[in-house]
Each structure stands twice: as structure tokens, then as C-alpha cells.
Amino acid sequence: MTTTRPEGLPDQLRHYIGGKLVDSVNGETFDVLEPTTNETYIQCASGTADDVDLAVAAARKAFDEGPWPRMMPRERANILYRVADEVSKMNERLAARESFDSGLPIRQASGQAKRAAENFRFFADLIVAQVDDAFRMPGRQMNYVNRKPKGVAGLITPWNTPFMQESWKLAPALASGCTVVLKPAEFTPLSAELWVEVFENAGLPEGVFNMVHGFGESAGDALVKHPDVNLISFTGETTTGQIIFGNCAPTMKSMSMELGGKSPAIIFADADFEAALDSTLFGVYSLNGERCTASSRLLVERPIYDRFVEAYAERAKKVKVGPPSDPDTELAALVHPSHYDRVMNYVEVGKQEARLVAGGKRPDHLPEGNYLEATVFADVPRDARIFQEEIFGPVVAITPFDTEEEAIELANSVKYGLAAYVWTSDVTRAHNVSHAIESGMVWINSHNVRDLRTPFGGVKGSGLGQEGGYRSLDFYSVQQAIHVTLGDVHTTRFGATGYSENDPGLAGPGS
Ligand code: NAD
């Protein structure tokens, strides 16, 4: 079953460099597939180091000579508000493209523009309200923070909710005054093209936003290794993050890494059963299960275990799998045949490791495309691959536990530490268990609802650094400390009078 091709697609997807849509220097393109048929629907320019060189040069020129880093925060914010307005205006177009290109159910794709726009409004608000530290040493010294944009930002993004992920990096990078080169994911380049229209209509100065399409190993790698790029903000797989980490070292780039996850939801027997059921089903099957914070491991306390597994499996069997363009579809096609094969391989592994209680195969009514039924494995042991490894699809692993300690231990027994969910009506336990979980974020009796002011990021294999609110602006800024003497200069006079009674010492007057 196919889906609807959006109207008004260009003949080909191109790079955007120095204010112009351009082909690759070598003219190369790659095939972009549509996930309900896996047929090629468009060609996309395939960038190499030559294209990255041109994009970085344009971003560098805009940074060194252009108005963007030098604007008053209010002036920059006004352009970012216009960006948000432009993004909001294209909600339906964006949803249609995102759904068509990535296989996201259309109803779930349509929230993305609103969220992307909100990212720009939020960071525009922050820069006009930004406060930096100043410290006074009465009569002696004044110290203050001179915040400056870090320079040219390399932004490398994944294919799940691609436009939203791109906005999550573009908004704080641009708000901070950086110029950028974006490398969108090669599976889903279609919606990124909309940024060109958005930024041009909003009046972003030329060269501030640049985009190079292509594969990670060529375009992405060249961006990471480029000596004129000051930072890399990366979202993607942990193994890719490890490679990029190494490749940033020779040029000492700042790095922010949002990586994979295998997030636990701990459901105690005293939890609101129905609320936990609804939330954990939505948590793993929304966005086709291609969600970094998916509650992909459910740890359920023994007294309610059988009842929970049964109820969960019954609901999973009724999850509506269908084409992305159908407004009733709850779970649609996975992004790409190679990813689909990977997920299906995990399903086969799971059948050897645990008890399959729902799904586990392609739906009968969808003979082609990357479709998989909502899949549930129960009695999953902790050393199972489907317990330990990120599947990034509509597959959940359910495991029983007997004590609070065991639940915490199971939660922490994987290499990841992105999100966690705790379901209990015992307030004390909710907090104590949350504190003991090794993860960057915890939701208590809640689905994944984000307040943009809070920290976002993972620990262990799930990431490096934390963004969110002012933390994101800090990542894209240099905080230069300026120290100025207010009174007489007291320096130990080497080669003259030498040390004296009033010598401030090596640590200086502030200590
Ligand atoms: P991926 O690592 O395969 O690719 C991500 C991006 O990196 C793509 O643009 C790709 O072209 C590029 N890339 C690949 N190799 C590269 C290299 N050697 N040098 C430079 N760039 C390179 O990830 P994916 O499959 O696109 O995305 C899914 C992964 O992203 C999952 O693991 C998911 O958990 C993770 N993710 C994490 C978060 C988070 O916030 N923690 C959010 C979304 C997705």
C-alpha cells in the first residue's frame, strides 16, 4: 500500500551554500527512497569534502565579516521569531513531506512544525533575557563574562523526526550568533529543503545557514574533520558518536552528542495501571518506535506482571498499522529497507531469547514496504540482546522484578542512560528510584513531555554534555572572562624590589 506524494517537490534536492542552491562539485547524487514501496522518488546531491569546503568557507565569511554575530540580541531574536512564523505557516507541507519521506504517520508528523517553531521562539526569548555573571572586588578588580558565539557550527542530524531534530540544533546555534553548516541525514533529506525558504523569507543574512547533503562517511566526516569548523553538534547512534569523538580530537572541536538509548519504564504494582499502560504503549509505538527516548524496556513488578503483559499484548495487537498518509494510522512504515532489515533481525533474535506475545511479523494486509506489527516480547532476560541493544523500532521487551533494588539494578544494567520512566503512587519511592537511575532524564507518572528549559541529554553511552535552555546557549558560546584592575596595579616587581609584605601572591587578589 503506497502513500501520497506531496505536491510541489523540486526536480532534485541540492546543497545550499552561500545563499544559493547548488549541485555537488562532482555532480554526484544519491537515490532517496520512499518507505512504503522502497522505490526511488528523488535524487539528492551527494556532498564530498569539496562541497563541505565551500559551505564552511561561506559560513566562515558570514561569521568573520557578516552582521549576524554582531547583531544586538533583540535584532537577532526578531529574525528568529520570523523564522518561527515561517515554520508555523508550513505545518501541512512539512507534515506531508516528513510523513512521505520518513514514513511517520501523518497525524504524528503534523505536530512537528509547531514544536520546531517553538524551538526558535524559545531561544529568541532566551537571548534577549540572557544574563551573564559579573564579579566585583571592591576597589581592586572587576571581572565579567564576555559571551561570544563560538564560530562555525557543524550540525549533524539523524533521520527520526528530522526537521524537528534540525530545529533543535539550528535554533540555539543561530540564536547564539554562530553561522552553521547542516548535514541532514541521508535517509530523509526532503524536509531539510524547507529551511532554505524559511530562512530566506525570514531575512537571515546570506551565508549564515548552509547545508550539505550526503553520506556520513563522506560529507559528515569532512565536516567533522574541517579545521575551520569550531564545534560539532551531533545526534545519532552511539557507535557513530564514538567515531566522531575521535575525529574531533585533532582539531580540538567542542562536541555535544545526543546518542542512542534503551530507556526503562519501571512499573510498580501500586501504579495507576491504565495510565502506565497507555503511556508505555505510546512511548514505544509512536513515531514508529524510532524514538531515542522510547520506553523500550518495561520492568514490571511481579504482582501485576501477568496482568500487565496480557493487557499490553492485547492493546499492541490492536495498534493500527497502515500507510503514513492515512490519518487513522498509529504505526506506519520504518524509514528505510536497511533499517527495516536490522529491526526484523532483532525480532528473529528476540524469538530465540524470550516469549513473543504480540506482533513479530509483517502485517498480512501490507505485503510491501517497511511495515512491522507492534511487537511485544515478555520474560526477557537481562542478558538478552533485545534487552541490551537499541532496536529503534516498534519492539518492546518486558521483564519482571521483585524488589525496588532489583528494578534499579535492571534499569542500570545496559550501556545506555538517556531517559527513564517511573510509575508508582508512592511519592518517596518515586523520587528515590529516580535518583538511583543512571539516566539524563526521568519522567515520574508521566509520558515524555518536555519543558524546553530543562536539561536534555544522556549519560553513559547515551551522550556527552547536556543541552536544553541556557545550557544550549552555553555550548554554542565562548564565555570569555574579562578581568580589569580598578585601583593601583600591585605586581611583584621581579628584577627590581622583589617580594614585598603586600605581595598579593601568585593566586592574585581574588583568592
Ligand atoms: P547515525 O549515527 O547513523 O547517523 C546520524 C547522522 O550522522 C547522519 O546524518 C549520518 O549521515 C551522520 N554520520 C554517520 N557517520 C558519520 C561519520 N563517520 N562522520 C560524520 N557524520 C556521520 O544515526 P541515525 O541512524 O541517523 O539515527 C538514529 C540514532 O540516533 C539512534 O541511535 C537514536 O537513538 C539516535 N538519536 C538520539 C537522540 C538523542 O537526543 N539522544 C535523538 C534522536 C536520535
Side-chain angles (χ1 to χ4, degrees):
M1 207 178 284
T2 57
T3 190
T4 319
R5 183 185 174 94
E7 285 173 15
L9 296 193
D11 62 324
Q12 186 194 307
L13 300 173
R14 295 183 166 82
H15 312 306
Y16 185 69
I17 299 177
K20 291 187 184 59
L21 283 165
V22 292
D23 292 327
S24 289
V25 171
N26 66 9
E28 294 281 311
T29 61
F30 65 88
D31 295 343
V32 187
L33 311 185
E34 182 276 298
T36 66
T37 58
N38 291 322
E39 280 170 14
T40 302
Y41 75 91
I42 203 165
Q43 292 292 310
C44 181
S46 184
T48 64
D50 289 340
D51 306 292
V52 169
D53 279 349
L54 292 173
V56 173
R60 174 55 57 195
K61 187 162 185 282
F63 188 79
D64 290 345
E65 300 167 25
W68 190 247
R70 291 158 195 87
M71 277 183 187
M72 291 296 123
R74 169 59 73 200
E75 217 182 335
R76 221 158 42 217
N78 284 341
I79 294 179
L80 297 176
Y81 292 136
R82 290 209 290 273
V83 168
D85 292 342
E86 290 294 325
V87 171
S88 302
K89 269 195 255 170
M90 53 177 56
N91 187 28
E92 280 176 28
R93 262 171 81 204
L94 170 64
R97 284 191 178 204
E98 203 78 312
S99 172
F100 180 74
D101 193 29
S102 72
L104 208 59
I106 187 73
R107 287 277 277 277
Q108 297 171 38
S110 54
Q112 303 294 314
K114 200 168 154 221
R115 288 190 62 193
E118 185 52 26
N119 282 334
F120 282 92
R121 290 208 180 90
F122 173 77
F123 284 106
D125 288 344
L126 283 198
I127 54 168
V128 280
Q130 177 106 50
V131 175
D132 276 309
D133 293 330
F135 308 95
R136 194 168 55 99
M137 314 264 329
R140 290 194 179 183
Q141 192 170 321
M142 184 77 193
N143 312 298
Y144 66 92
V145 173
N146 175 38
R147 180 179 290 268
K148 304 191 278 190
K150 232 172 225 175
V152 175
L155 313 178
I156 302 179
T157 49
W159 47 257
N160 63 320
T161 58
F163 194 84
M164 230 291 294
Q165 297 281 348
E166 290 152 12
S167 77
W168 180 237
K169 297 188 188 306
L170 286 166
L174 294 175
S176 303
C178 290
T179 59
V180 307
V181 178
L182 170 69
K183 208 300 279 169
E186 58 269 41
F187 285 177
T188 53
L190 183 60
S191 56
E193 209 232 1
L194 295 173
W195 290 119
V196 173
E197 189 181 322
V198 163
F199 290 132
E200 286 186 356
N201 288 351
L204 191 76
E206 194 177 291
V208 173
F209 166 75
N210 303 275
M211 173 168 70
V212 177
H213 287 291
F215 295 101
E217 299 72 20
S218 44
D221 186 66
L223 190 58
V224 166
K225 292 177 178 165
H226 203 292
D228 240 1
V229 172
N230 302 91
L231 66 93
I232 292 290
S233 176
F234 170 74
T235 300
E237 280 191 25
T238 301
T239 46
T240 315
Q242 287 171 316
I243 294 169
I244 291 177
F245 191 96
N247 288 340
C248 280
T251 45
M252 295 290 283
K253 289 182 175 63
S254 306
M255 277 178 299
S256 166
M257 297 210 167
E258 306 289 0
L259 308 177
K262 190 77 182 178
S263 302
I266 304 179
I267 301 146
F268 286 97
D270 64 356
D272 178 335
F273 189 91
E274 291 301 323
L277 191 63
D278 288 345
S279 175
T280 51
L281 276 153
F282 187 78
V284 83
Y285 299 124
S286 60
L287 308 183
N288 296 339
E290 296 162 331
R291 178 184 206 131
C292 56
T293 50
S295 48
S296 51
R297 289 184 298 145
L298 307 184
L299 311 176
V300 185
E301 199 170 8
R302 189 84 63 184
I304 59 162
Y305 181 75
D306 290 339
R307 187 174 145 230
F308 189 88
V309 169
E310 194 183 329
Y312 199 94
E314 280 317 302
R315 287 277 294 275
K317 285 176 194 164
K318 293 184 193 141
V319 168
K320 290 194 189 80
V321 189
S325 55
D326 181 344
D328 286 335
T329 292
E330 292 170 334
L331 170 59
L334 303 193
V335 69
H336 192 271
S338 64
H339 180 60
Y340 182 68
D341 290 347
R342 189 174 165 273
V343 173
M344 291 310 259
N345 183 50
Y346 272 113
V347 171
E348 291 314 308
V349 168
K351 288 177 185 169
Q352 309 302 316
E353 293 180 323
R355 180 163 62 98
L356 178 70
V357 291
K361 63 176 180 54
R362 166 189 291 285
D364 297 334
H365 67 291
L366 295 163
E368 63 168 2
N370 308 321
Y371 294 103
L372 168 62
E373 292 173 344
T375 296
V376 185
F377 287 103
D379 310 344
V380 181
R382 75 171 64 198
D383 57 352
R385 284 185 62 199
I386 61 162
F387 187 92
Q388 291 290 331
E389 299 174 22
E390 184 184 42
I391 299 175
F392 219 56
V395 182
V396 76
I398 314 186
T399 303
F401 70 86
D402 289 301
T403 63
E404 194 174 304
E405 293 69 32
E406 190 191 356
I408 294 166
E409 212 238 314
L410 281 167
N412 292 341
S413 68
V414 299
K415 74 172 180 180
Y416 297 105
L418 189 57
Y421 306 84
V422 179
W423 290 90
T424 175
S425 53
D426 179 335
V427 177
T428 309
R429 173 158 69 186
H431 287 278
N432 287 332
V433 170
S434 301
H435 296 183
I437 293 175
E438 295 163 352
S439 72
M441 297 165 279
V442 182
W443 278 268
I444 298 172
N445 295 334
S446 167
H447 176 57
N448 176 337
V449 181
R450 251 212 90 215
D451 180 328
L452 292 179
R453 295 166 297 187
T454 58
F456 185 94
V459 298
K460 304 201 300 194
S462 289
L464 266 188
Q466 283 180 311
E467 294 211 33
Y470 285 109
R471 296 161 203 85
S472 298
L473 296 182
D474 285 349
F475 172 66
Y476 290 101
S477 313
V478 174
Q479 294 181 61
Q480 181 184 39
I482 306 287
H483 309 274
V484 57
T485 298
L486 295 178
D488 294 337
V489 183
H490 296 285
T491 313
T492 303
R493 302 193 64 223
F494 278 1
T497 52
Y499 297 104
S500 75
E501 285 296 301
N502 297 329
D503 199 330
L506 287 178
S511 54

